Amino acid sequence: MRVHVVSDVHGNSTDLARAGDGADALLCLGDLVLFLDYADHSRGIFPDLFGVENADRIVALRTARRFEEARAFGAQLWAGIDRGPAIEKAVRKQYAELFAAFPTPTYATYGNVDMPHLWREYAGPGTTVLDGERVEIGGRVFGFVGGGLRTPMRTPYEIDDEEYAAKIEAVGEVDVLCTHIPPEVPELVYDTVARRFERGSRALLDAIRRTRPRYALFGHVHQPLARRMRIGATECVNVGHFASAGRPWALEW
């Protein structure tokens, strides 16, 4: 068996359409939506609505961790615009293209920038959406937990630590534990380009130590200090920033 794994797709439908080539299945660990590309400020929902100069400014504020100023600036831009419908319309356009690119079969969970209530509308019969759930692929049990934890960024699918821990508990013992965010380990949560610690999950780390899956796969941190490390019996792997790399990570058995 061979499965390909992607995360942090962020609008890269071109490479996504080829991500399953040569594999028996594709796993997607979330963040399909591209709201704002921090490497190219002309790409994403934000610059489409407000222009590149405003995208430059909000990226500068967020990178400097001036989150209150960034929110105030964003509020000025959104004044007079019905934010919810505008964002949903743009996300729907991206989802229509991205879900159409998924091969059959695809097993997917949500990222922190995704909008879960729309997924089942766009997921075709060959795409299985899982969150706090398990599935057997080629004789191995895979568990999936989507979303992120609360941050000052306030992205669409951030949940409380307790809710996230409950989903980890619901998955239980599996061969491969698939999540969007990493376990709470400094080397895995530190982004070397953004120069900040992203939020990882302590509950996920505890589950890895307790249940000892063969692999723990995740994304979320685009440029991690360490892309893989072993925690006890478990190989922990950041499968990469698919939006920029355009290549899936492969697992064979």
Side-chain angles (χ1 to χ4, degrees):
M1 287 291 296
R2 179 182 176 95
V3 299
H4 287 175
V5 191
V6 301
S7 185
D8 300 270
V9 175
H10 294 302
N12 188 352
S13 59
T14 300
D15 290 321
L16 185 62
R18 300 188 291 265
D21 290 356
D24 297 291
L26 178 70
L27 312 184
C28 179
L29 308 186
D31 271 10
L32 296 182
V33 172
L34 179 61
F35 190 76
L36 177 56
D37 189 333
Y38 277 59
D40 180 354
H41 304 168
S42 69
R43 298 181 64 242
I45 294 171
F46 189 94
D48 286 349
L49 289 171
F50 302 116
V52 177
E53 287 186 5
N54 287 324
D56 290 341
R57 182 176 176 188
I58 205 156
V59 167
L61 290 171
R62 289 177 176 175
T63 303
R65 303 187 66 79
R66 294 157 60 185
F67 295 118
E68 291 299 329
E69 290 179 63
R71 277 194 286 273
F73 177 58
Q76 293 176 13
L77 295 175
W78 283 103
I81 300 175
D82 198 342
R83 181 180 183 130
I87 291 178
E88 182 166 316
K89 180 180 179 181
V91 170
R92 283 181 175 277
K93 181 180 178 181
Q94 290 188 14
Y95 277 169
E97 186 174 337
L98 290 159
F99 277 93
F102 277 144
T104 298
T106 291
Y107 302 90
T109 196
Y110 317 113
N112 59 290
V113 303
D114 285 312
M115 300 177 71
H117 71 280
L118 297 178
W119 274 41
R120 297 192 186 278
E121 183 177 339
Y122 288 93
T127 298
T128 303
V129 179
L130 301 135
D131 189 16
E133 299 164 282
R134 303 148 55 102
V135 66
E136 184 177 320
I137 305 172
R140 288 191 176 181
V141 179
F142 288 70
F144 290 80
V145 175
L149 299 175
R150 303 285 184 196
T151 73
M153 301 291 283
R154 300 181 184 178
T155 50
Y157 192 42
E158 294 181 359
I159 60 177
D160 294 333
D161 289 55
E162 295 77 13
E163 183 181 351
Y164 192 88
K167 293 194 293 184
I168 293 288
E169 187 68 24
V171 165
E173 295 187 15
V174 295
D175 297 303
V176 184
L177 184 51
C178 301
T179 59
H180 177 66
I181 63 174
E184 181 58 61
V185 177
E187 295 87 344
L188 299 177
V189 300
Y190 186 74
D191 191 304
T192 60
V193 174
R195 297 182 180 180
R196 65 170 179 257
F197 290 96
E198 303 289 355
R199 285 215 63 191
S201 169
R202 180 72 193 191
L204 173 57
L205 176 60
D206 291 344
I208 290 169
R209 288 171 170 163
R210 184 178 68 254
T211 65
R212 299 164 61 89
R214 297 187 189 189
Y215 290 91
L217 308 179
F218 48 87
H220 185 57
V221 183
H222 294 178
Q223 299 91 13
L225 193 61
R227 293 204 171 273
R228 61 193 299 162
M229 67 185 300
R230 184 166 289 276
I231 298 176
T234 303
E235 188 71 18
C236 299
V237 182
N238 184 319
V239 300
H241 182 220
F242 187 79
S244 61
R247 297 185 304 274
W249 184 81
L251 176 63
E252 295 183 286
W253 67 95

